[in-house]
């Protein structure tokens, strides 16, 4: 096998090598059926056992919270931006949103179209480089829910703790940091996440929701967009992205092998610490973008003194086998996405490259 790239892509992103190798071994003949899992009926017992196992394993990693159901839906988090308000807003109600950057803004705009949205707090005055103070978050009096984006991949910010909303459902887009650390699921009414950063390949979106929120949906929205449709049919109403769900199950097994969420969190904090220390210890040659108290352990954003130097850095990094270090096109700069599956060795190699680059250019 040729040498693996140092993959810092923001999504689709690195998958654990062990998972890819296991999947490769089962690719042609799954459990001695003479078929790939991609070829078999989603109504058959073999596929259904994998489907159910993935749901159970996810809840188990989250501490088996009672009264929650896992759904597998297609269309990415982008479809969830619309499904949340379509399903949860009733007459006279609005969705309250905390605006923390590009992804929160997209969710907010969809809610405006779907029925009504309100800004509960924003960090726009800080160019979205910090998460608003939790005390500043004020949901509307007629809010049906409060929506947060747990981690902003573009700006590189992350909630360190979540607001306590009492009986008001807290909804979170956790696409870019789900299962990267321990958290209390019972604080949330509904969590959604595109799989392609921490859970598996693209193609499936995971929804973890309180059953009471998804058991009944409005009858005036299309059947496929009702949470109740997926809930009542165990996410098998239409053909699911079966291979992506199989891969999610394999990634969840791998997370268990890393010591569950506590084990993964310790590793992620070590990785992020190594990289932020390299940035902060560079004497200003590299500069962290996000405010320190809001820094993400998943997406590390940084800049250099000129765009010209940043371009040079990206080009030189690519020649050394580093992939995906260019910042998002909307903000420029540099970004290393260091999700669960990115090994410590890749971050170590990156910090060594950064130090070498600084010596030659600084």
């Amino acid at each position: 096998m040729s040498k693996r790239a140092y993959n810092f892509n923001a999504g689709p992103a690195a998958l654990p090598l062990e998972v890819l190798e296991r999947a490769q071994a089962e690719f042609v003949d799954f459990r001695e059926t003479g078929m790939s899992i991609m070829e078999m009926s989603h109504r058959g017992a073999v596929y259904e056992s994998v489907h159910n196992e993935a749901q159970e394993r996810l809840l188990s990693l989250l501490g088996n919270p009672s009264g929650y159901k896992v759904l597998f839906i297609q269309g990415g988090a982008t479809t969830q931006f619309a499904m949340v308000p379509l399903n949860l807003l009733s007459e006279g109600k609005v969705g309250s949103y905390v605006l923390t950057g590009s992804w929160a803004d997209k969710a907010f705009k969809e809610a405006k179209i779907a029925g009504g949205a309100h800004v509960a707090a924003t960090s726009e005055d800080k160019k979205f480089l910090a998460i608003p103070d939790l005390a500043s978050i004020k949901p509307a009096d007629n809010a049906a829910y409060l929506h947060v984006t747990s981690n902003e991949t573009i700006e590189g910010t992350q909630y360190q703790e979540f607001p306590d909303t009492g009986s008001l459902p807290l909804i979170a887009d956790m696409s870019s940091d789900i299962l990267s650390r321990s958290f209390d699921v019972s604080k949330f009414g509904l969590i959604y996440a595109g799989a392609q950063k921490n859970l598996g390949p693209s193609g499936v979106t995971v929804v973890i929701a309180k059953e009471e929120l998804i058991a009944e949906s409005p009858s005036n929205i299309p059947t496929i967009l009702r949470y109740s449709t997926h809930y009542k049919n165990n996410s098998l109403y239409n053909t699911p992205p079966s291979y992506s769900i199989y891969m999610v199950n394999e990634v969840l097994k791998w997370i268990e092998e890393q010591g569950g969420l506590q084990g993964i969190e310790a590793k992620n904090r070590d990785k992020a610490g190594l990289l932020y220390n390299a940035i902060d210890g560079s004497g200003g040659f590299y500069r962290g973008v996000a405010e320190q108290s809001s820094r993400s352990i998943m997406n590390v954003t940084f800049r250099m003194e000129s765009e010209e130097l940043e371009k040079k850095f990206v080009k030189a990094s690519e020649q050394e086998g580093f992939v995906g270090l260019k910042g998002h096109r909307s903000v420029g700069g540099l970004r290393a996405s260091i999700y669960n599956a990115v090994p410590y060795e890749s971050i170590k190699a990156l910090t060594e490259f950064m130090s070498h680059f600084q010596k030659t250019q600084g």
Side-chain angles (χ1 to χ4, degrees), residues 26 33 43 53-54 57 88 94 99 104 123 132 144 162 171 180 199 214 230 244 309 324 327 353:
E26 302 187 313
T33 56
R43 304 281 175 213
E53 195 182 300
R57 185 166 265 122
L88 302 183
V94 295
L99 301 186
S123 53
F162 293 103
I171 313 284
S180 65
L199 291 174
I214 57 171
H230 301 281
S244 293
L309 195 55
F353 169 77

Side-chain angles (χ1 to χ4, degrees), residues 201-252:
S202 59
V204 62
T205 305
V206 169
V207 173
I208 304 154
K210 276 190 176 159
E211 294 184 66
E212 66 214 42
L213 272 188
I214 57 171
E216 296 300 331
S217 296
S219 56
N220 63 343
I221 60 174
T223 311
I224 196 70
L225 295 177
R226 295 176 204 161
Y227 285 128
S228 59
T229 301
H230 301 281
Y231 173 67
K232 287 168 182 164
N233 292 280
N234 191 30
S235 302
L236 293 163
Y237 175 73
N238 66 328
T239 309
S242 49
Y243 197 76
S244 293
I245 293 166
Y246 154 76
M247 286 294 284
V248 166
N249 191 37
E250 293 303 315
V251 170
L252 296 175

Side-chain angles (χ1 to χ4, degrees), residues 130-141:
I131 297 294
D133 185 57
L134 295 191
S136 74
I137 298 172
K138 300 277 187 282
D141 292 340

Side-chain angles (χ1 to χ4, degrees), residues 51 55 58 70-81 83 172-175 178 190-196 199-208 227 230 235 240-241 244-245 248:
H51 187 93
Q55 293 171 328
L58 180 55
V70 171
L71 307 177
F72 295 129
I73 302 181
Q74 295 173 69
T78 307
T79 298
Q80 294 308 306
F81 297 163
M83 276 181 78
D173 173 2
M174 288 196 180
S175 295
I178 193 165
L190 185 148
I191 291 162
Y192 61 89
Q196 66 274 13
L199 291 174
S202 59
V204 62
T205 305
V206 169
V207 173
I208 304 154
Y227 285 128
H230 301 281
S235 302
S244 293
I245 293 166
V248 166

